């Protein structure tokens, strides 16, 4: 554990999410502080450090060389998916605990290497799934586990975004197979996938998927994926995700005695509406949400400061990548894949 706190973070990858969402969340947290920012460009690192009042600005090479390593206790990795592993490996070698953005890496094998590196280095590895610290989803999980809708029969979930309609550039890492590891499944589909596992508190035994290849600019990546996951007690998750579908964003659990639906669960800090249907009656519950990224950083830091077990850990994030690999395999073969 880190003595006393606050936990001092090196933040890697100064694109959208780290400077706009994560660093402000660290600033608003009780137990965390940003002391180092790391970027591909020295000038960019210095500019962001200046803007955010951060003491140290490093390049990835400086970071890999262990520069300023006395100035931070933990690392927050927010680079493209296939660039998580090298930074996680460096952190593990330097003895720094890691909060790594989702998906843990670009495929199962690379995600497993992240887990192994952190085990070898004796450091914590948490996969940054916001849904585990989002109050509404935690509430749904608790009431489902308490039997509020009877035995869960299925989950349904979708998270999609039409990046072409939004006018986004086709020249971006999310459409580069080498950096993203996959299309919308890796970026968005992992949310209903992981939330199904979290809410059911179980891991699937088999998957079946349909993938639809995107236009040439997608470089062989899917533009749409629909998949089912079979859980050991018979529950089934039905999920889909696309880069050319406008705004699907919901999660639902159906059970033997009712159904719970959450609208707009997956956007960061969105207003969420929960509809509970049991015994022929429908009730709408609004859960007042604190900022989930603040919760996530404080949760991770509390784990480091107290030696409490931290989850979702690296193994949990690896499991998603193993499932994603099987989804792609099923999309290619058309067959059901046992995990
Ligand atoms: P952006 O494209 O906005 O930023 C990525 C940054 O990574 C770049 O700005 C760049 O920063 C750095 N980078 C390093 N090498 C490369 C490269 N070869 N090509 C492109 N960028 C590179 O991505 P996001 O911030 O949206 O996503 C980063 C990670 O965070 C991803 O793993 C993503 O899945 C995850 N994410 C999680 C979210 C959540 O809600 N939990 C939300 C959004 C993203 P620099 O110039 O400083 O090196």
């Amino acid at each position: 554990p880190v003595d006393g706190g606050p936990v001092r973070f090196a933040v890697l990858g100064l694109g959208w999410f780290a400077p706009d969402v994560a660093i402000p969340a660290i600033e608003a947290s009780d137990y965390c502080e940003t002391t180092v920012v790391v970027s591909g460009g020295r000038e960019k690192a210095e500019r962001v450090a200046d803007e955010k009042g951060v003491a140290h600005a490093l390049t990835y090479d400086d970071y890999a060389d262990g520069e300023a390593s006395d100035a931070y206790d933990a690392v927050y990795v927010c680079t493209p998916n296939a660039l998580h592993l090298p930074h996680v490996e460096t952190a593990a070698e330097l003895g720094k605990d890691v909060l790594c953005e989702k998906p843990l890496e670009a495929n199962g094998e690379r995600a497993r290497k992240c887990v192994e590196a952190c085990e070898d280095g004796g450091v914590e590895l948490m996969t940054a799934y916001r849904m585990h610290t989002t109050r509404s989803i935690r509430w749904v999980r608790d009431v489902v586990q308490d039997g509020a809708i009877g035995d869960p029969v299925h989950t349904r979930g979708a998270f999609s975004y039409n990046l072409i309609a939004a006018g986004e550039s086709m020249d971006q890492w999310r459409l580069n197979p080498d950096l993203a590891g996959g299309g919308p499944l890796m970026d968005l589909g992992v949310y209903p996938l992981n939330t199904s596992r979290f809410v059911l508190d179980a891991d699937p035994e088999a998957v079946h998927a349909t993938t639809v290849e995107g236009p040439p600019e997608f470089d062989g990546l899917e533009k749409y994926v629909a998949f089912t996951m079979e859980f050991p007690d018979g529950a089934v998750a039905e999920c889909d995700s696309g880069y050319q579908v406008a705004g699907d964003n919901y999660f639902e659990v159906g059970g033997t005695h009712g159904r719970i639906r959450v609208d707009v669960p997956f956007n960061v800090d969105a207003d969420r509406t929960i509809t509970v249907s049991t015994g022929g009656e429908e009730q709408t519950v609004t859960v007042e949400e604190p900022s989930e990224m603040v919760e996530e950083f404080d949760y991770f830091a509390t784990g480091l400061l107290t030696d409490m077990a931290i989850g979702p850990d690296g193994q949990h994030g690896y499991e998603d990548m193993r499932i994603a690999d099987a989804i792609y395999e099923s999309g290619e073969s058309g067959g059901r894949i046992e995990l």
Side-chain angles (χ1 to χ4, degrees):
V2 181
D3 274 344
V7 174
R8 301 164 306 156
F9 278 87
V11 172
L12 281 83
L14 308 178
W16 162 56
F17 201 68
D20 286 13
V21 183
I23 293 176
I26 293 172
E27 170 114 43
S29 73
D30 289 329
Y31 307 116
C32 309
E33 162 182 22
T34 305
T35 49
V36 178
V37 287
V38 189
S39 168
R42 187 171 303 282
E43 273 178 26
K44 185 180 182 185
E46 283 169 358
R47 176 173 51 76
V48 173
D50 203 38
E51 278 167 17
K52 307 283 183 189
V54 174
H56 302 270
L58 305 181
T59 64
Y60 297 120
D61 288 342
D62 298 337
Y63 165 74
D65 289 343
E67 216 172 284
S69 61
D70 288 345
Y72 59 98
D73 311 299
V75 169
Y76 169 64
V77 179
C78 196
T79 51
N81 306 339
L83 296 172
H84 292 176
L85 176 60
H87 301 315
V88 170
E89 284 176 336
T90 299
E93 280 162 21
L94 293 170
K96 307 296 179 185
D97 300 299
V98 185
L99 176 61
C100 182
E101 262 311 332
K102 50 54 64 179
L104 185 53
E105 243 287 345
N107 58 45
E109 195 190 340
R110 294 179 65 84
R112 186 175 46 74
K113 287 182 179 164
C114 290
V115 175
E116 286 170 359
C118 290
E119 280 172 1
D120 291 349
V123 299
E124 296 288 342
L125 172 59
M126 175 173 163
T127 313
Y129 276 118
R130 286 182 284 108
M131 295 301 105
H132 291 238
T133 45
T134 297
R135 195 173 283 180
S136 52
I137 296 294
R138 295 188 66 86
W139 183 86
V140 170
R141 181 181 197 253
D142 287 347
V143 299
V144 167
Q145 295 297 325
D146 286 348
I149 55 163
D151 295 327
V153 175
H154 64 95
T155 64
R156 290 195 186 119
F159 191 15
S160 288
Y161 169 64
N162 191 335
L163 53 78
I164 293 180
E168 285 205 16
S169 161
M170 296 294 103
D171 181 22
Q172 56 164 304
W173 71 262
R174 282 184 167 84
L175 297 176
N176 177 341
D178 293 336
L179 289 174
L185 173 64
M186 297 300 283
D187 196 35
L188 309 173
V190 290
Y191 280 93
L193 185 166
N194 185 265
T195 304
S196 298
R197 290 179 59 209
F198 181 56
V199 168
L200 295 175
D201 196 19
D203 291 337
E205 292 180 324
V207 299
H208 187 258
T210 302
T211 46
V212 182
E213 198 175 309
E217 301 88 319
F218 280 39
D219 214 356
L221 296 176
E222 84 279 8
K223 67 173 180 182
Y224 180 78
V225 56
F227 56 96
T228 56
M229 302 189 287
E230 299 169 26
F231 287 86
D233 57 1
V236 175
E238 305 162 47
C239 308
D240 72 309
S241 180
Y243 274 161
Q244 278 190 297
V245 186
D248 266 351
N249 193 327
Y250 75 94
F251 183 78
E252 193 170 277
V253 201
T256 49
H257 291 79
R259 181 166 53 84
I260 302 182
R261 178 181 167 102
V262 188
D263 280 294
V264 200
F266 301 128
N267 284 0
V268 66
D269 289 334
D271 286 336
R272 282 143 187 147
T273 312
I274 304 177
T275 310
V276 182
S277 314
T278 48
E281 288 195 17
E282 199 163 275
Q283 271 180 301
T284 298
V285 183
T286 306
V287 176
E288 205 173 303
E289 303 260 20
S291 162
E292 58 210 34
M293 285 304 288
V294 175
E295 296 280 293
E296 185 177 288
F297 276 106
D298 270 339
Y299 166 80
F300 178 67
T302 308
L304 300 185
L305 293 166
T306 61
D307 224 4
M308 172 188 81
I310 294 173
D313 62 8
Q315 185 64 34
H316 185 92
Y318 159 68
E319 192 63 27
D320 279 349
M321 296 297 87
R322 203 166 77 84
I323 297 166
D325 288 350
I327 287 171
Y328 283 125
E329 189 184 335
S330 173
E332 291 242 320
S333 70
R336 172 178 175 276
I337 307 289
E338 290 195 10
L339 288 157

